[in-house]
Amino acid sequence: MPWGVSALLLLAGCAAAPAPPPAEPSPFNATDTAWVQLMIPMNEQLLPALDVAPASLAQFAADLKASHTAELVHLRQLRDRAGLPDTNVHAGHQMPGLVSEADLLAIRTDPSALPKKLHEHLDQTAKLARSELENGTDAATKEFAASVESSRRDQLGRLGQG
């Protein structure tokens, strides 16, 4: 093979591969990801408290457990679509509406403490959903936040009547 042809073949093999197309920008902004990452533990950590509801709140607690469990499915799908890790970035945090281990122990010791914690949880998660609606950018996340906010208003109304 003539030297020129060999050189061309060698150079052709060294040519840079075409650049991959630019990645599409994520539709999720910091508010979207923060909301998803907070709402998951907010819901998860409430569920065990619902298991010790006094008889007067048993049906309401069962309804909350069903709705919060269904929300978790959707929130985890959003988390996965956003490419977020499945770790709880809020583990050990103390914040309004988030049922801590100490809260759960207090509720298990005295189930009459549950209504106050439920009100706090429902109110705080409604506020978080409104914040997502005002500041998020991902349309599907905002649509889901609107649903959560509406559910929380209804749930707060039911709790107030209980």
Side-chain angles (χ1 to χ4, degrees):
M1 184 176 329
W3 184 86
V5 173
S6 296
L8 282 175
L9 289 174
L10 182 61
L11 287 175
C14 293
E24 280 193 35
S26 172
F28 292 88
N29 69 6
T31 299
D32 298 318
T33 58
W35 185 71
V36 168
Q37 287 181 311
L38 180 55
M39 286 297 296
I40 291 172
M42 292 288 278
N43 280 13
E44 285 176 341
Q45 291 176 217
L46 178 69
L47 297 178
L50 297 173
D51 291 337
V52 296
S56 61
L57 284 176
Q59 185 57 57
F60 181 68
D63 294 346
L64 277 184
K65 189 168 193 169
S67 69
H68 280 54
T69 300
E71 287 175 8
L72 279 167
V73 170
H74 198 91
L75 287 162
R76 289 175 182 136
Q77 289 169 345
L78 289 170
R79 179 195 61 205
D80 294 346
R81 193 167 62 81
L84 299 170
D86 65 357
T87 56
N88 179 358
V89 298
H90 297 286
H93 293 178
Q94 296 290 318
M95 57 186 75
L98 184 67
V99 178
S100 67
E101 286 297 320
D103 293 328
L104 185 57
L105 179 59
I107 292 166
R108 285 182 172 148
T109 302
D110 179 10
S112 70
L114 182 60
K116 181 179 179 192
K117 194 63 184 181
L118 286 177
H119 189 277
E120 180 184 283
H121 168 83
L122 296 170
D123 183 58
Q124 188 63 27
T125 54
K127 288 176 183 173
L128 292 169
R130 280 191 296 277
S131 178
E132 167 58 24
L133 287 168
E134 293 168 5
N135 301 297
T137 57
D138 179 62
T141 304
K142 289 176 70 165
E143 182 179 324
F144 184 61
S147 170
V148 168
E149 199 271 336
S150 176
S151 292
R152 294 306 186 267
R153 274 183 299 172
D154 293 344
Q155 292 161 345
L156 279 164
R158 283 186 60 202
L159 181 61
Q161 296 169 6

